[in-house]
Amino acid sequence: VERSRGLGDVYKRQIWHNNYSAKRERGHYTGFYIDAICGVDIAIWDAIGKSLKMPTCKAMGGAHRKSVALYNGIGGTEPEEVADQAEWSVSKGYKFVKMHLKETLEKDIEIARKVRERVGDSIGIMIDVHMGFDTFNVTKLGKELEKLNLLWLESPSDPTDIPGLCEISRSLDIPIANGEWTRTKYEMREIFEKRAYDISMPDIARTGLTGGKQIASIAQLYNIPIAPHVGGGGIVSVASTLQFSLNTPNFLIMEHSEQGHAVKAMILSEEFEAKNGQFDLSDKPGLGITFNSQIMIGSVDESTLPSYQYEYGAGYGGASDGENGYWLSKWDGPAGLEYAVNTTDDASFGPKLNAADLRYEYYNMIPELTDYYGKLTPQTPGCLLYTSDAADEGLGVDLGGRRII
């Protein structure tokens, strides 16, 4: 930050280069150090847009589109469960969904078949296997997925094994998407030259807007489309990726989480959300978001918070014994209806959701929920909860004043 202080718009690329070069000699040419300077880079672009009273995408050279298409990320371990989430996503207006799967080869194929069967041929489907296979087995997986007309296979194997990625890409007709791990144009050079994959996925929270623009420009030389990764990134990651997507000529589609967005946006003072599977170009300056400083510093007046209630033993035709039962949330969750957080083995209560699933659902942003199973539930989706001495009232567990969704 100190190296960037006092330098204006005309020096924005110099700022990124100077910050990057400052520790390169010490071996810090990727990883957390790059993440840190990218935070500075995004903040500078936000400030530039606000100073010019225009969206950052226009300050970066212009908007190439008026809206940005999104796909919704979904998870799960069973075919019906993942298909339910896909169907729910479609009901929210999404025309594209991406499955996050970490199962066996056979189970991944079974899940993908069920999702395709459920949503039909008009919905685009992607699959992310999170580096779960070696070159041989992911090629076997890809051959089966080709029959389902998937849009891409993501993160198929070790991202540092560039020869292996080249072999996978050349062996399959399904496009290979990758690149969330790489942070700079220097890392991407060999990947592009060897065409190690078909779709590049820079994560703007890791590349910054300057670095992401550099990667996208080089990708354009090789006719490679850009599908920026967001994943578990917070609201600044979402907003900056939106500006990047609007500005990038070779943009394809942007990642999003309909389920997790309310959690990410809880620190904002104004609405910022996608509608019908897309974000529209806004005339708000900078990144287009403003923060609620009271929430960020934890000084919210309790009396101004929305009310909350404890839903217990109702719905799905069953009752809870209060210890081993389930709690019903009015969150408009991935199953579509009022979503049951079911901790029993009785499927009639709704889909079972264990701690690992719940942690994944909220991208590990609020780990307390994995222990308390949503016992405090909002009356409306996206509202805040205040948990003060909740355990004494039989409403849950005291989180020391933490505000959760």
Side-chain angles (χ1 to χ4, degrees), residues 7 22 25 63 72-73 79 92 98 108 117 136 143 149 151 164 183 193 204 220 237 239 274 307 325 355-356 375 387:
L7 297 178
E25 186 176 357
N72 191 38
K92 292 292 182 181
K98 184 176 81 176
D108 283 354
E117 175 188 318
F136 173 75
K143 292 291 185 184
N149 193 29
L151 295 184
R183 288 164 168 80
E193 287 175 348
I204 301 307
Q220 191 175 15
S237 174
S307 60
K375 294 180 184 179
T387 58

Side-chain angles (χ1 to χ4, degrees), residues 63 68 100 107 122 158 183 235 265 283 291 297-298 319 321 343 377:
V68 167
H100 293 271
K107 192 64 170 289
S122 63
D158 182 352
R183 288 164 168 80
I235 199 63
D283 59 0
F291 297 101
I297 65 176
D321 61 10
T343 62
T377 63

Side-chain angles (χ1 to χ4, degrees), residues 308-312 327 372 374-377 385-398 404:
Y308 59 81
Q309 64 183 19
Y310 178 51
E311 291 282 353
Y312 167 61
W327 292 267
Y372 310 136
K375 294 180 184 179
L376 289 170
T377 63
L385 297 179
Y386 186 73
T387 58
S388 176
D389 299 323
D392 295 337
E393 301 171 26
L395 297 179
V397 181
D398 182 11
I404 64 173

